[in-house]
Amino acid sequence: MTPAATIPLTPALADSRLDRAGIEKPLVSVIVTSFNYAPYVLDCLRSVARQAYPHWECIVVDDCSTDDSPALIQAFVDSPEAGGRFAFARHEANGGQMEGFKTGLAQAKGVFAVLLDADDVLLEDFLEVHLHTHLGRLPVAFTSSNQYQIDGLGRIVSGEHLDHHSKGAYRYVRKTTFQRGFWIWATASSMMFRVETLRLILENQPRSFRICADYYIAHFANLIGYSLLIPTIHGCYRRHGENNFGSNPVLGAINSVGCMTKHPPHAEFRQAIIDHMLGNKARFKPILGRKDFVTMLFRVGTWEEIREAARKHPDVLPGPEWKLRLRYWLFRLSRLKLNRTPWPQRLEAVDPS
Protein backbone atom coordinates (compact mmCIF):
# COMPACT_ATOMS: atom_id res chain seq x y z
CA MET A 1 0.00 0.00 0.00
CA THR A 2 1.45 3.34 -1.06
CA PRO A 3 1.40 6.00 1.70
CA ALA A 4 -0.84 8.94 0.77
CA ALA A 5 2.04 11.35 1.14
CA THR A 6 3.95 9.71 -1.73
CA ILE A 7 1.03 9.78 -4.21
CA PRO A 8 1.90 12.51 -6.73
CA LEU A 9 -0.49 15.29 -7.58
CA THR A 10 -2.53 14.55 -10.67
CA PRO A 11 -1.82 16.83 -13.61
CA ALA A 12 -5.15 18.61 -13.15
CA LEU A 13 -4.16 19.81 -9.67
CA ALA A 14 -0.47 20.41 -10.35
CA ASP A 15 -0.64 21.82 -13.88
CA SER A 16 0.65 25.41 -13.70
CA ARG A 17 -0.80 26.11 -17.15
CA LEU A 18 -4.27 25.97 -15.64
CA ASP A 19 -3.25 28.59 -13.07
CA ARG A 20 -1.90 30.89 -15.77
CA ALA A 21 -5.10 30.43 -17.77
CA GLY A 22 -7.17 31.46 -14.76
CA ILE A 23 -8.79 28.01 -14.37
CA GLU A 24 -9.89 27.48 -10.78
CA LYS A 25 -9.46 24.39 -8.65
CA PRO A 26 -12.78 22.64 -7.89
CA LEU A 27 -14.78 23.65 -4.85
CA VAL A 28 -15.74 20.76 -2.54
CA SER A 29 -18.94 20.99 -0.48
CA VAL A 30 -18.73 19.08 2.81
CA ILE A 31 -22.25 18.32 4.05
CA VAL A 32 -22.33 17.38 7.74
CA THR A 33 -25.53 15.81 9.05
CA SER A 34 -26.04 15.85 12.81
CA PHE A 35 -28.63 14.52 15.26
CA ASN A 36 -27.91 14.52 19.00
CA TYR A 37 -24.14 14.21 18.53
CA ALA A 38 -23.03 16.80 21.06
CA PRO A 39 -20.07 14.69 22.32
CA TYR A 40 -18.60 14.32 18.81
CA VAL A 41 -19.72 17.12 16.51
CA LEU A 42 -16.92 19.57 17.35
CA ASP A 43 -14.25 16.95 16.58
CA CYS A 44 -15.96 16.43 13.23
CA LEU A 45 -16.15 20.15 12.35
CA ARG A 46 -12.57 20.79 13.40
CA SER A 47 -11.44 17.95 11.15
CA VAL A 48 -13.07 19.75 8.22
CA ALA A 49 -11.40 23.04 9.18
CA ARG A 50 -7.98 21.31 9.18
CA GLN A 51 -8.15 20.13 5.56
CA ALA A 52 -4.96 20.70 3.56
CA TYR A 53 -6.92 21.30 0.35
CA PRO A 54 -8.02 24.94 0.58
CA HIS A 55 -11.05 25.13 -1.73
CA TRP A 56 -14.01 23.90 0.30
CA GLU A 57 -17.21 24.98 2.01
CA CYS A 58 -19.08 23.21 4.80
CA ILE A 59 -22.85 23.04 5.31
CA VAL A 60 -23.91 21.64 8.69
CA VAL A 61 -27.48 20.31 8.87
CA ASP A 62 -29.01 19.67 12.29
CA ASP A 63 -31.93 17.23 12.14
CA CYS A 64 -33.94 18.69 15.01
CA SER A 65 -31.57 17.63 17.81
CA THR A 66 -32.81 17.65 21.41
CA ASP A 67 -29.39 17.86 23.08
CA ASP A 68 -27.07 20.90 23.16
CA SER A 69 -25.40 20.11 19.82
CA PRO A 70 -27.16 22.97 17.93
CA ALA A 71 -25.69 25.50 20.35
CA LEU A 72 -22.25 23.92 20.01
CA ILE A 73 -22.48 23.99 16.22
CA GLN A 74 -23.63 27.59 16.11
CA ALA A 75 -20.83 28.69 18.43
CA PHE A 76 -18.27 26.95 16.23
CA VAL A 77 -19.73 28.40 13.01
CA ASP A 78 -19.45 31.90 14.53
CA SER A 79 -15.93 31.35 15.86
CA PRO A 80 -12.64 32.47 14.24
CA GLU A 81 -11.71 28.79 13.93
CA ALA A 82 -14.47 28.35 11.34
CA GLY A 83 -13.14 31.21 9.27
CA GLY A 84 -16.55 32.12 7.86
CA ARG A 85 -16.60 28.95 5.74
CA PHE A 86 -19.34 27.06 7.60
CA ALA A 87 -23.09 27.47 7.09
CA PHE A 88 -25.69 26.11 9.50
CA ALA A 89 -29.16 24.83 8.59
CA ARG A 90 -31.71 23.40 11.01
CA HIS A 91 -34.70 21.16 10.34
CA GLU A 92 -37.96 22.01 12.04
CA ALA A 93 -38.86 18.31 12.16
CA ASN A 94 -36.67 15.22 12.31
CA GLY A 95 -36.39 13.72 8.83
CA GLY A 96 -33.51 11.28 9.03
CA GLN A 97 -30.19 10.93 7.23
CA MET A 98 -31.34 11.27 3.63
CA GLU A 99 -33.31 14.44 4.31
CA GLY A 100 -30.23 15.96 5.89
CA PHE A 101 -28.21 15.16 2.79
CA LYS A 102 -30.91 16.71 0.59
CA THR A 103 -30.96 19.91 2.64
CA GLY A 104 -27.19 20.27 2.43
CA LEU A 105 -27.16 19.45 -1.28
CA ALA A 106 -29.71 22.19 -1.99
CA GLN A 107 -27.23 24.74 -0.60
CA ALA A 108 -24.05 23.21 -2.04
CA LYS A 109 -22.03 25.23 -4.54
CA GLY A 110 -19.25 22.70 -5.09
CA VAL A 111 -18.36 20.44 -7.99
CA PHE A 112 -17.75 17.57 -5.56
CA ALA A 113 -19.41 16.77 -2.24
CA VAL A 114 -18.60 14.81 0.91
CA LEU A 115 -21.50 13.42 2.97
CA LEU A 116 -20.08 13.42 6.49
CA ASP A 117 -21.81 12.10 9.59
CA ALA A 118 -21.24 14.36 12.59
CA ASP A 119 -19.74 11.61 14.75
CA ASP A 120 -16.99 10.81 12.22
CA VAL A 121 -13.65 12.51 11.57
CA LEU A 122 -11.73 13.37 8.39
CA LEU A 123 -7.95 13.23 8.41
CA GLU A 124 -6.30 16.37 7.06
CA ASP A 125 -5.50 14.98 3.60
CA PHE A 126 -8.98 13.56 2.89
CA LEU A 127 -10.14 16.15 0.35
CA GLU A 128 -6.76 16.32 -1.37
CA VAL A 129 -6.39 12.57 -1.89
CA HIS A 130 -9.95 12.12 -3.11
CA LEU A 131 -9.49 14.91 -5.63
CA HIS A 132 -6.22 13.28 -6.77
CA THR A 133 -8.30 10.24 -7.60
CA HIS A 134 -11.31 12.00 -9.11
CA LEU A 135 -9.14 14.09 -11.43
CA GLY A 136 -7.04 11.16 -12.57
CA ARG A 137 -7.55 9.06 -15.67
CA LEU A 138 -10.83 7.35 -14.72
CA PRO A 139 -13.77 9.67 -14.04
CA VAL A 140 -16.22 8.07 -11.61
CA ALA A 141 -19.39 9.03 -9.77
CA PHE A 142 -17.70 8.66 -6.38
CA THR A 143 -14.61 7.50 -4.54
CA SER A 144 -14.35 5.67 -1.21
CA SER A 145 -11.21 5.51 0.94
CA ASN A 146 -10.45 3.19 3.82
CA GLN A 147 -11.06 4.27 7.43
CA TYR A 148 -9.69 3.78 10.90
CA GLN A 149 -12.36 2.80 13.42
CA ILE A 150 -12.45 4.63 16.72
CA ASP A 151 -14.62 4.36 19.81
CA GLY A 152 -16.69 6.94 21.63
CA LEU A 153 -13.66 8.19 23.54
CA GLY A 154 -11.64 8.71 20.38
CA ARG A 155 -9.43 5.64 20.79
CA ILE A 156 -8.48 3.66 17.69
CA VAL A 157 -9.92 0.13 17.79
CA SER A 158 -9.26 -1.07 14.23
CA GLY A 159 -6.64 -0.24 11.61
CA GLU A 160 -9.14 -0.39 8.72
CA HIS A 161 -12.82 -0.62 7.86
CA LEU A 162 -13.65 -4.28 7.29
CA ASP A 163 -16.26 -3.52 4.62
CA HIS A 164 -13.78 -1.74 2.35
CA HIS A 165 -12.66 -4.15 -0.38
CA SER A 166 -9.69 -2.29 -1.82
CA LYS A 167 -7.34 -5.11 -0.76
CA GLY A 168 -4.35 -2.77 -0.89
CA ALA A 169 -4.87 -1.46 -4.44
CA TYR A 170 -6.93 1.12 -6.30
CA ARG A 171 -9.98 -0.75 -7.58
CA TYR A 172 -12.45 0.34 -10.22
CA VAL A 173 -16.02 -0.81 -9.46
CA ARG A 174 -18.23 -1.18 -12.53
CA LYS A 175 -20.83 -3.36 -14.24
CA THR A 176 -22.76 -4.09 -11.05
CA THR A 177 -26.28 -5.43 -10.79
CA PHE A 178 -28.58 -4.81 -7.84
CA GLN A 179 -31.02 -7.72 -7.60
CA ARG A 180 -29.16 -8.85 -4.49
CA GLY A 181 -27.63 -6.81 -1.71
CA PHE A 182 -23.91 -6.33 -1.26
CA TRP A 183 -21.50 -3.72 0.08
CA ILE A 184 -17.86 -3.17 -0.93
CA TRP A 185 -17.19 0.41 0.17
CA ALA A 186 -16.65 1.93 3.60
CA THR A 187 -19.24 4.34 5.09
CA ALA A 188 -20.77 7.51 3.65
CA SER A 189 -18.09 9.53 5.47
CA SER A 190 -15.42 7.76 3.38
CA MET A 191 -16.83 8.98 0.07
CA MET A 192 -16.56 11.96 -2.27
CA PHE A 193 -19.29 12.32 -4.91
CA ARG A 194 -19.75 14.37 -8.02
CA VAL A 195 -22.44 16.89 -7.07
CA GLU A 196 -24.32 16.47 -10.35
CA THR A 197 -24.60 12.74 -9.69
CA LEU A 198 -26.09 13.44 -6.26
CA ARG A 199 -28.54 15.92 -7.73
CA LEU A 200 -29.67 13.36 -10.31
CA ILE A 201 -30.39 10.65 -7.74
CA LEU A 202 -31.65 12.76 -4.80
CA GLU A 203 -33.61 15.65 -6.29
CA ASN A 204 -37.34 14.93 -6.76
CA GLN A 205 -36.98 11.67 -4.84
CA PRO A 206 -40.06 11.48 -2.57
CA ARG A 207 -38.97 8.27 -0.87
CA SER A 208 -36.54 8.82 1.98
CA PHE A 209 -34.40 6.52 4.12
CA ARG A 210 -33.94 7.63 7.70
CA ILE A 211 -30.91 5.36 8.12
CA CYS A 212 -28.60 3.63 5.62
CA ALA A 213 -29.20 6.38 3.06
CA ASP A 214 -25.66 5.76 1.80
CA TYR A 215 -26.81 2.29 0.67
CA TYR A 216 -29.25 3.91 -1.76
CA ILE A 217 -26.87 6.72 -2.77
CA ALA A 218 -23.73 4.63 -3.31
CA HIS A 219 -25.44 1.87 -5.26
CA PHE A 220 -27.43 4.27 -7.44
CA ALA A 221 -24.35 6.39 -8.11
CA ASN A 222 -22.29 3.31 -8.99
CA LEU A 223 -24.96 2.12 -11.42
CA ILE A 224 -24.79 5.48 -13.18
CA GLY A 225 -21.10 6.38 -13.14
CA TYR A 226 -19.11 3.65 -11.34
CA SER A 227 -16.79 4.20 -8.37
CA LEU A 228 -13.17 3.85 -7.32
CA LEU A 229 -11.82 2.36 -4.10
CA ILE A 230 -8.85 4.18 -2.56
CA PRO A 231 -6.71 1.76 -0.50
CA THR A 232 -5.20 4.33 1.87
CA ILE A 233 -6.83 5.63 5.07
CA HIS A 234 -8.04 9.24 5.26
CA GLY A 235 -10.77 9.26 7.89
CA CYS A 236 -12.10 7.72 11.09
CA TYR A 237 -15.42 5.97 11.56
CA ARG A 238 -16.65 6.26 15.14
CA ARG A 239 -18.32 3.32 16.87
CA HIS A 240 -19.87 4.62 20.07
CA GLY A 241 -22.63 2.03 20.51
CA GLU A 242 -25.46 4.39 19.50
CA ASN A 243 -24.84 4.44 15.74
CA ASN A 244 -28.03 4.07 13.74
CA PHE A 245 -26.63 1.12 11.80
CA GLY A 246 -22.95 0.44 12.61
CA SER A 247 -23.64 -0.24 16.27
CA ASN A 248 -21.92 -3.64 16.51
CA PRO A 249 -18.58 -3.70 18.34
CA VAL A 250 -15.44 -4.75 16.49
CA LEU A 251 -15.06 -8.38 17.55
CA GLY A 252 -12.79 -9.55 14.75
CA ALA A 253 -12.70 -10.09 11.01
CA ILE A 254 -15.80 -12.27 10.73
CA ASN A 255 -18.56 -10.28 12.43
CA SER A 256 -20.80 -7.81 10.65
CA VAL A 257 -19.88 -4.23 11.45
CA GLY A 258 -23.49 -3.16 10.95
CA CYS A 259 -26.63 -4.31 12.76
CA MET A 260 -28.58 -5.94 9.93
CA THR A 261 -31.81 -6.01 11.94
CA LYS A 262 -31.89 -2.20 11.57
CA HIS A 263 -31.16 -2.17 7.83
CA PRO A 264 -34.21 -1.48 5.61
CA PRO A 265 -35.05 -4.40 3.28
CA HIS A 266 -33.04 -4.54 0.07
CA ALA A 267 -36.25 -4.58 -2.00
CA GLU A 268 -37.15 -1.10 -0.72
CA PHE A 269 -33.92 0.34 -2.11
CA ARG A 270 -34.43 -1.47 -5.40
CA GLN A 271 -37.94 -0.10 -5.78
CA ALA A 272 -36.82 3.40 -4.81
CA ILE A 273 -34.28 3.40 -7.66
CA ILE A 274 -36.78 2.08 -10.20
CA ASP A 275 -39.49 4.55 -9.17
CA HIS A 276 -37.04 7.45 -9.25
CA MET A 277 -35.79 6.58 -12.72
CA LEU A 278 -39.30 6.20 -14.12
CA GLY A 279 -40.58 9.31 -12.35
CA ASN A 280 -37.67 11.36 -13.72
CA LYS A 281 -37.19 9.68 -17.09
CA ALA A 282 -36.98 13.07 -18.82
CA ARG A 283 -33.72 13.66 -16.90
CA PHE A 284 -32.31 10.13 -17.15
CA LYS A 285 -33.00 9.32 -20.80
CA PRO A 286 -30.81 12.08 -22.33
CA ILE A 287 -27.95 10.91 -20.09
CA LEU A 288 -28.29 7.16 -20.52
CA GLY A 289 -30.00 6.91 -23.89
CA ARG A 290 -33.18 4.87 -24.35
CA LYS A 291 -31.42 1.49 -24.65
CA ASP A 292 -29.16 1.98 -21.65
CA PHE A 293 -32.06 3.41 -19.65
CA VAL A 294 -33.93 0.11 -20.06
CA THR A 295 -30.75 -1.90 -19.46
CA MET A 296 -30.20 -0.09 -16.17
CA LEU A 297 -33.74 -0.96 -15.09
CA PHE A 298 -32.87 -4.59 -15.85
CA ARG A 299 -29.73 -4.26 -13.71
CA VAL A 300 -31.86 -3.19 -10.73
CA GLY A 301 -35.26 -4.85 -10.82
CA THR A 302 -36.57 -8.38 -10.48
CA TRP A 303 -38.80 -9.69 -13.26
CA GLU A 304 -41.94 -8.95 -11.21
CA GLU A 305 -40.80 -5.35 -10.66
CA ILE A 306 -39.96 -4.89 -14.35
CA ARG A 307 -43.33 -6.30 -15.41
CA GLU A 308 -45.14 -3.91 -13.07
CA ALA A 309 -43.06 -1.00 -14.38
CA ALA A 310 -43.99 -1.97 -17.96
CA ARG A 311 -47.68 -1.94 -17.03
CA LYS A 312 -47.43 1.56 -15.56
CA HIS A 313 -44.99 2.97 -18.15
CA PRO A 314 -45.70 1.38 -21.56
CA ASP A 315 -43.86 4.25 -23.25
CA VAL A 316 -40.62 3.16 -21.57
CA LEU A 317 -41.04 -0.63 -21.84
CA PRO A 318 -43.28 -1.16 -24.91
CA GLY A 319 -44.31 -4.38 -26.61
CA PRO A 320 -45.90 -7.71 -25.57
CA GLU A 321 -44.98 -9.23 -22.23
CA TRP A 322 -43.34 -12.33 -23.76
CA LYS A 323 -40.92 -10.15 -25.71
CA LEU A 324 -40.03 -8.10 -22.61
CA ARG A 325 -39.61 -11.28 -20.56
CA LEU A 326 -37.27 -12.78 -23.17
CA ARG A 327 -35.23 -9.59 -23.36
CA TYR A 328 -34.98 -9.41 -19.57
CA TRP A 329 -33.82 -13.00 -19.08
CA LEU A 330 -31.36 -12.82 -21.95
CA PHE A 331 -29.83 -9.83 -20.16
CA ARG A 332 -29.76 -11.68 -16.84
CA LEU A 333 -28.16 -14.69 -18.52
CA SER A 334 -25.43 -12.45 -19.93
CA ARG A 335 -24.66 -11.25 -16.37
CA LEU A 336 -24.64 -14.74 -14.83
CA LYS A 337 -20.85 -15.15 -14.76
CA LEU A 338 -20.46 -11.64 -13.34
CA ASN A 339 -23.00 -12.27 -10.59
CA ARG A 340 -21.26 -15.48 -9.47
CA THR A 341 -17.78 -13.99 -9.20
CA PRO A 342 -16.69 -12.90 -5.68
CA TRP A 343 -16.49 -9.13 -5.44
CA PRO A 344 -12.79 -8.68 -4.58
CA GLN A 345 -11.70 -10.67 -7.65
CA ARG A 346 -14.21 -8.99 -9.93
CA LEU A 347 -12.87 -5.49 -9.34
CA GLU A 348 -10.12 -4.20 -11.58
CA ALA A 349 -6.97 -2.80 -9.94
CA VAL A 350 -5.98 0.55 -11.44
CA ASP A 351 -3.64 3.45 -10.73
CA PRO A 352 -5.65 6.69 -11.05
CA SER A 353 -2.62 8.98 -11.09
Side-chain angles (χ1 to χ4, degrees), residues 323-338:
K323 191 172 183 179
L324 179 64
R325 183 191 292 265
L326 177 63
R327 184 179 173 189
Y328 176 79
W329 286 109
L330 284 174
F331 170 81
R332 291 297 304 278
L333 185 63
S334 73
R335 316 315 295 173
L336 191 59
K337 182 178 179 181
L338 175 72

Side-chain angles (χ1 to χ4, degrees), residues 49-234:
R50 286 194 300 267
Q51 288 302 297
Y53 182 75
H55 306 292
W56 56 267
E57 63 174 1
C58 185
I59 302 119
V60 188
V61 182
D62 179 76
D63 196 22
C64 202
S65 294
T66 56
D67 64 2
D68 60 348
S69 56
L72 294 173
I73 295 169
Q74 188 64 64
F76 179 85
V77 169
D78 294 337
S79 72
E81 188 175 2
R85 304 173 71 178
F86 289 74
F88 187 27
R90 299 183 65 179
H91 287 171
E92 294 183 359
N94 182 267
Q97 187 183 39
M98 183 177 281
E99 292 307 307
F101 291 156
K102 288 180 181 178
T103 297
L105 184 63
Q107 298 184 27
K109 301 181 181 68
V111 178
F112 297 94
V114 176
L115 306 178
L116 178 60
D117 290 328
D119 53 343
D120 295 336
V121 172
L122 301 182
L123 300 180
E124 60 196 29
D125 58 354
F126 182 95
L127 298 186
E128 187 174 51
V129 169
H130 278 260
L131 283 174
H132 292 174
T133 308
H134 267 290
L135 300 178
R137 296 175 183 173
L138 293 171
V140 291
F142 72 99
T143 50
S144 171
S145 56
N146 210 334
Q147 295 173 306
Y148 291 121
Q149 297 184 70
I150 60 177
D151 65 13
L153 298 177
R155 301 172 299 193
I156 185 168
V157 295
S158 177
E160 66 173 342
H161 196 290
L162 300 177
D163 287 347
H164 197 265
H165 284 192
S166 62
K167 304 301 180 184
Y170 286 93
R171 294 183 182 267
Y172 191 37
V173 189
R174 62 179 184 178
K175 301 294 185 185
T176 60
T177 56
F178 197 49
Q179 278 78 24
R180 296 180 180 180
F182 62 89
W183 189 258
I184 52 180
W185 306 280
T187 68
S189 297
S190 78
M191 301 172 181
M192 180 183 285
F193 293 85
R194 292 183 179 272
V195 164
E196 291 305 321
T197 303
L198 290 178
R199 295 197 195 283
L200 182 65
I201 65 182
L202 286 176
E203 289 179 348
N204 303 317
Q205 169 55 281
R207 187 175 302 206
S208 189
F209 294 98
R210 296 186 62 84
I211 67 171
C212 301
D214 54 346
Y215 191 80
Y216 166 87
I217 295 169
H219 278 293
F220 204 163
N222 196 77
L223 286 164
I224 293 170
Y226 308 155
S227 61
L228 196 58
L229 299 176
I230 300 172
T232 44
I233 295 174
H234 306 286

Side-chain angles (χ1 to χ4, degrees), residues 220-285:
F220 204 163
N222 196 77
L223 286 164
I224 293 170
Y226 308 155
S227 61
L228 196 58
L229 299 176
I230 300 172
T232 44
I233 295 174
H234 306 286
C236 301
Y237 178 69
R238 192 186 299 270
R239 294 188 179 280
H240 44 75
E242 297 180 2
N243 309 71
N244 285 326
F245 175 64
S247 55
N248 289 347
V250 177
L251 302 178
I254 62 172
N255 69 300
S256 172
V257 292
C259 181
M260 294 307 298
T261 60
K262 299 179 181 180
H263 200 289
H266 179 73
E268 291 187 15
F269 293 98
R270 223 175 33 235
Q271 195 62 56
I273 292 175
I274 294 171
D275 290 346
H276 186 65
M277 288 182 63
L278 293 172
N280 296 274
K281 54 194 172 188
R283 294 183 67 184
F284 279 89
K285 277 190 173 182

